[in-house]
Amino acid sequence: MLRLPRPRFLIAAIAAVTLIGGSIGITAATWSDHDASLADWTSHLSLSARLVETEIRSRQVEANVNLLRIEDRLAGRPLASFRDSPPDREWLDTVLAAIPGGFAVCIHDDKADLILTTDRQDTFAHNAAGREYMTLALAQPGKTVVSAMITTRANPQHFVIFSRALVDRTGQVRGVAEILVTGEAVTDVFRPLQAPDQGSIFTILRMDGNLVARQPMPIGPLLRLDATKPPFTEFTKSHEGAYRAVSVVDGVERLISFRQVPDLDLVVTAGMTMDMVFHDWATRTQRTATRFVAGILLLLALAVVAGESLRHESRLLRSVEQKADELATALTEKDVLFQEVHHRVKNNLQVISSLLTMQSLHVKDDTARATLKDALDRIHSMGLVHQTLYERNLASNVDLGVYFGRLAEALLGSYGTGKGSVTVHVDVAGTLDLDRAVPLGMLANEALSNALKHAFPDGRSGTISISLTRDESQWHFTVRDDGIGMSSQPSKGIGLSLIRALTRQLSGRSAISKDGGTVVIVTFPV
């Protein structure tokens, strides 16, 4: 007898297990969600950093193309011939007009003296000696370089200068050409990525620590970072990556994704505040915790109700156990009764078979004797069903593999094949209820008997195969021989008629064809 736990102990156990297990589960899920949120934002910021890289590369390529145009125009002419040349200034104005955000174009000679400019506001120095955009270009002939962000006294805007050394055909540096672009033109592409009040930043930095562009623009003096300290120490660890750092501009901790652009001597970053990174996670965690507490309270209430009902359940359980014992006894008696019924049916069919056998001994007519033999085979096929049920200790489902194996063995022994040798292959598995096993067995008896009697005359050898398969909706029963094939004028026996009648009894369809012998196919629903 099952002993139920005391209600108070059960309630305490349920509360403890639920609280401990739930807490562990919630903690694990929350930590996993925390890591997933961090990974999602890292991936998102990595894509944003790629966009920043793409934008600065695009600007550099655009500037490089136009600087090469200027270099081609200077080819073969003395640089002095360009000094304050109105036609050349007009041509530079057309170059400038094709550059988005372009502010001015300027040409200095190798002494850093101003030769020609489109700038009417004196933004460029008349002598650029020592200026970064001049020294960088002269130090790297054949390369378009990017300056740090600059401001001028004449114009409070922020600018970026793309410059390139002008080299003649002999490789001699003749001067430097510069294109001045507003900082807003470089950073405007990032504005759609920056939702208001989210604290996201996008920056382009030179590897020496100077700021090239930033969105949003910093307030106050231009940013310059120490290249020997973080975050530049992070940049040197790998080509790209992510880290957490507190901004020197606003003191806010952010998740930063960076990518080096070594060919331009730049590094680009995209960052988001940690509060925003974990904002959705914090909301989900709060919601989950609220649901967890509500669930705990509900489960405790249910445990109390369950405890009150345990006494009633105990009485019901004792009643159910008593009923189960009674049903088990009844089921055992039913199984014994079924076995007895099948045994008696088998014996009765055996008596009938014996009577017919005795009668056939006194029949002189060959046709009558053959008819009695067919009847004996049909009775034997039915008897085999009940014998199989009895021996396999089954109530109503016939083991088809055992049954068809015995049927084939009995018929093969009953029909001698003269000097030849006939082999029967049985490929059958599964079970079938008694109501359909009997007609299927009789049908198999008819098909196999016909094959043994007619397919191999004059002592021929051959093979007969019996198969039974099923799919989702149908059984497929096949008897195939490789004998002489069915005559175009079958005998007038009842075999074919019986096959059709038994097929209808199975609610199926039958087909008989000649395919290197005779094939009987019966299909009936599962």
Side-chain angles (χ1 to χ4, degrees), residues 11 299-309:
I11 293 172
L299 285 175
L300 289 176
L302 291 175
V304 171
V305 174
E308 292 298 325
S309 65

Side-chain angles (χ1 to χ4, degrees), residues 429-457:
T431 62
L432 197 63
D433 57 274
L434 179 61
D435 290 341
R436 292 192 294 173
V438 170
L440 181 62
M442 295 183 65
L443 194 152
N445 177 82
E446 295 302 319
L448 185 55
S449 296
N450 286 339
L452 290 171
K453 287 191 294 185
H454 304 298
F456 307 102

Side-chain angles (χ1 to χ4, degrees), residues 53-65:
E53 178 189 3
T54 301
E55 176 62 17
I56 191 60
R57 284 190 182 279
S58 175
R59 289 291 180 177
Q60 192 270 348
V61 168
E62 186 176 51
N64 185 60
V65 169

